[in-house]
Amino acid sequence: MFPSASRVESKGLVNKDLLTIDGVSRDEILFLIQDAIRMKKRKQYGQELKGKTLGMIFEKSSTRTRVSFEAAMIQLGGHAMFLSSRDLQLGRGESIEDTAKVLSKYVDGVMIRTHEHEKIETFANHASIPVINGLTDTHHPTQALADLMTIYEYKKTFSGLKLAYVGDGNNMAHSLMEACVKVGIHISLACPEGYMPDEDITAQVQNQANVNGVHVFVTSDPKEAVQDADIIVTDVWASMGDENEAEERVEIFKPYQVNQELCKNAKSDYLFMHCLPAHRGEEVTADIIDGSHSVVFDEAENRLHIHKAILKGLL
């Protein structure tokens, strides 16, 4: 049985934007997951967004984000426009504020994948249409929602589960922390010293966890983090923009590889998840990501369905 959630008004989500998981309520998260699962099961396209257009601004390239958002709009009867920073006056010096105001006159919503989180906040503050965070250096909310959907599909509950995140304390770590405490999943994170999650975000999540009766534990010991975990999650050691640190990071993160030895500390029916793309032999061994515990390709598919739910909720 899905956790109880009061129905969100049919006109959409309470806030006009999706910038972080912290900005979405527990009930909204559950509603989005319910709607995504329903659309996944119906196996047919709808017309809920007929006549709607989504602008997609990419300052960071992507496979899954672009294809899943564009396919989501098409499957709901709408249209998506790919806008790279090279194609926009934004890349030639036009202000974020002016770009937001102009695009608000042309399209019904904007999805942005960029570097600094402050950019998307500025854009949203000056736009009169919904703005969706497709990824920033600090947050990746749509991926975290797809991860929650995948966990629920396999575990049929959130309550009492433990998720262990192993690796860089990056945008995925931040959004997973925020997502877990919202729905009642305990979370432990193992990151090397110097690569821990942001202190302010961690403190904010800890406060929310105390209210919700959820445990948030941050350590530098991966075995301690993975102990009795129901879900193990990792990410690349050098995210987009960190390529110049790649060789240095490989040496630092070697003890944080998700492999058979580390996974022995988890529960026997653990799930392995990764937002992709993956570097087999670095953050995870091939036998884990391609093994029986891995759900990474279901996780990737669920980006499509959760994006449909988000787009319906906002547009």
Side-chain angles (χ1 to χ4, degrees):
M1 189 70 179
F2 203 89
S4 62
S6 59
R7 180 139 183 114
V8 178
E9 294 181 31
S10 60
K11 65 180 182 181
L13 303 180
V14 173
N15 296 322
K16 75 178 181 74
D17 304 315
L18 175 59
L19 305 185
T20 68
I21 293 292
D22 187 57
V24 188
S25 72
R26 175 184 180 274
D27 281 354
E28 288 174 316
I29 289 172
L30 299 182
F31 179 80
L32 289 172
I33 294 172
Q34 285 175 318
D35 200 30
I37 291 173
R38 180 186 63 79
M39 286 188 285
K40 183 177 181 178
K41 288 180 178 178
R42 79 182 182 186
K43 297 186 182 300
Q44 60 186 12
Y45 299 161
Q47 293 294 308
E48 292 93 335
L49 297 183
K50 184 178 181 180
K52 300 283 188 180
T53 301
L54 177 73
M56 305 189 301
I57 299 176
F58 284 86
E59 292 192 323
K60 281 189 171 187
S61 59
S62 169
T63 299
R64 279 150 293 278
T65 300
R66 178 180 177 179
V67 176
S68 57
F69 266 110
E70 190 162 344
M73 284 298 293
I74 292 169
Q75 290 184 16
L76 294 176
H79 179 71
M81 299 171 60
F82 173 77
L83 305 168
S84 76
S85 57
R86 295 186 301 274
D87 300 327
L88 298 173
Q89 293 297 333
L90 187 63
R92 299 181 181 90
E94 183 170 29
S95 72
I96 296 172
E97 295 87 343
D98 288 356
T99 303
K101 291 173 184 177
V102 170
L103 289 184
S104 295
K105 303 293 185 180
Y106 297 154
V107 298
D108 300 286
V110 171
M111 185 281 298
I112 305 177
R113 185 176 169 96
T114 187
H115 296 274
E116 300 89 350
H117 191 75
E118 293 75 18
K119 278 188 178 180
I120 200 168
E121 290 181 329
T122 300
F123 193 102
N125 287 337
H126 290 85
S128 58
I129 54 176
V131 176
I132 301 168
N133 179 1
L135 175 143
T136 65
D137 290 343
T138 315
H139 295 278
H140 200 353
T142 59
Q143 179 67 57
L145 289 171
D147 290 356
L148 288 183
M149 176 183 173
T150 308
I151 291 167
Y152 185 77
E153 283 184 318
Y154 277 89
K155 296 297 186 182
K156 308 304 180 188
T157 187
F158 294 131
S159 180
L161 295 178
K162 177 184 175 181
L163 183 148
Y165 176 88
V166 181
D168 188 16
N170 58 14
N171 49 12
M172 275 312 308
H174 298 153
S175 288
L176 282 172
M177 281 197 295
E178 292 177 342
C180 285
V181 300
K182 290 277 186 176
V183 300
I185 298 176
H186 306 297
I187 180 168
S188 57
L189 301 97
C191 311
E193 295 293 341
Y195 298 89
M196 294 286 184
D198 179 84
E199 290 183 0
D200 290 338
I201 294 175
T202 303
Q204 186 174 342
V205 169
Q206 288 278 13
N207 290 336
Q208 184 68 50
N210 292 336
V211 173
N212 293 349
V214 179
H215 303 300
V216 177
F217 179 64
V218 181
T219 179
S220 58
D221 184 348
K223 289 185 178 180
E224 186 177 19
V226 169
Q227 189 64 45
D228 296 324
D230 298 281
I231 307 107
I232 301 174
V233 185
T234 192
D235 195 3
V236 293
W237 291 340
S239 298
M240 198 176 300
D242 297 325
E243 290 87 354
N244 61 327
E245 304 174 12
E247 290 186 14
E248 177 186 356
R249 283 174 175 251
V250 166
E251 294 304 313
I252 293 171
F253 281 87
K254 276 183 179 178
Y256 295 82
Q257 183 185 74
V258 178
N259 51 37
Q260 291 286 359
E261 187 63 29
L262 180 63
C263 292
K264 288 178 182 178
N265 297 279
K267 290 183 180 176
S268 60
D269 61 346
Y270 77 90
L271 303 177
F272 173 74
M273 302 177 70
H274 191 306
C275 62
L276 301 179
H279 296 164
R280 287 168 171 79
E282 289 189 10
E283 73 271 10
V284 60
T285 55
D287 57 344
I288 294 295
I289 194 170
D290 297 324
S292 61
H293 293 274
S294 176
V295 296
V296 296
F297 295 107
D298 290 331
E299 178 187 4
E301 178 190 351
N302 285 340
R303 291 286 298 279
L304 169 64
H305 304 297
I306 203 71
H307 289 170
K308 285 188 286 189
I310 292 167
L311 291 166
K312 277 180 56 184
L314 290 175
L315 303 188

